[in-house]
Amino acid sequence: MVNESLQSGRLGQGLHHEMTPHTSDQVIRKLKIAELQIAQAKIVVDFCRSIEVPQPTDHRWRQPFGGMQVEDARLLTQLENRYV
């Protein structure tokens, strides 16, 4: 049964008739995406633990400051102070 599913390029046929069947390539791609997301979540957990910051704080910090360099943040602070 498994070999037939693999040979036909379809996995899970007959399990859920209401679902659109996926090819094995689609399933593998989706699983790889899930693995990356799981790995990234573990990395975030470890990172937050190492800097002693809760995950919600990390998320809140990344919204305005994600991708910025330290010098960019300093310039932003200077501009804010100048116009406030």
Side-chain angles (χ1 to χ4, degrees), residues 12-67:
Q13 281 185 323
L15 295 177
H16 300 282
H17 295 290
E18 69 277 358
M19 293 179 60
T20 305
H22 293 81
T23 65
S24 55
D25 289 345
Q26 290 170 324
V27 171
I28 291 168
R29 275 191 224 108
K30 288 182 180 194
L31 289 174
K32 286 186 184 216
I33 290 169
E35 287 172 13
L36 285 173
Q37 290 174 346
I38 290 167
Q40 289 171 351
K42 284 185 176 181
I43 290 169
V44 170
V45 169
D46 293 340
F47 169 74
C48 289
R49 188 177 297 127
S50 72
I51 64 168
E52 299 176 349
V53 172
Q55 284 183 359
T57 301
D58 175 66
H59 178 73
R60 199 171 55 247
W61 287 353
R62 287 177 191 269
Q63 288 176 338
F65 299 111

